[in-house]
Amino acid sequence: MARKNDLKDPKYDAFVSSMLEVAERYKKIQEQQCALGLFSYDRELVKCHVCKLSEDINFIGKLFTYRYGDIEFKDTGLQFISLDEKNECFKCPDCGAECLVLPEPSLKEENT
């Protein structure tokens, strides 16, 4: 934990400033990834529980959807529609069902 005297240290100020710059650059990179259709790994992949439309990522990192059971994994061209800012609830572009994205269980949760 930082002491009050450490917060006045110019090295601390320089560190915080550089970390803010890194975070801003990372945010811009994520925006560029999204614009290119690349998956930024900021959420779990979505799967519709009704029609089984599923998201996946191809070998170059592009997000695509395919129909469950399609052995060729053909891209449908459809994209799930985010219904909230946290990317936890989506609307299926095929059947209109709401799809909740549940986080992957942590290793700690799996071992209990």
Side-chain angles (χ1 to χ4, degrees):
M1 182 169 214
R3 297 181 306 244
K4 287 184 181 180
N5 291 344
D6 291 341
L7 298 178
K8 296 179 182 177
D9 185 354
K11 290 181 182 178
Y12 177 80
D13 291 340
F15 173 76
V16 170
S17 177
S18 65
M19 291 309 296
L20 288 172
E21 187 177 321
V22 167
E24 288 172 7
R25 288 184 56 114
Y26 182 71
K27 185 176 179 179
K28 287 180 183 178
I29 289 170
Q30 280 189 315
E31 290 169 356
Q32 290 172 342
Q33 281 179 306
C34 185
L36 293 171
L38 301 176
F39 189 63
S40 62
Y41 299 89
D42 58 344
R43 64 172 175 81
E44 298 298 323
L45 297 173
V46 183
K47 180 178 180 180
C48 180
H49 61 284
V50 176
C51 69
K52 306 294 189 229
L53 186 70
S54 300
E55 285 184 326
D56 208 341
I57 306 163
N58 69 12
F59 65 96
I60 62 170
K62 188 167 174 64
L63 186 65
F64 71 98
T65 56
Y66 67 96
R67 303 216 180 272
Y68 180 78
D70 180 3
I71 60 173
E72 294 181 15
F73 295 95
K74 291 182 202 163
D75 184 1
T76 65
L78 302 172
Q79 291 185 342
F80 285 90
I81 302 157
S82 181
L83 299 176
D84 64 353
E85 291 183 16
K86 293 182 179 181
N87 285 330
E88 294 176 347
C89 186
F90 290 82
K91 180 178 179 182
C92 178
D94 193 33
C95 71
E98 285 191 16
C99 308
L100 294 177
V101 177
L102 302 174
E104 291 274 331
S106 68
L107 291 177
K108 185 176 181 181
E109 291 173 358
E110 289 177 0
N111 293 330
T112 57

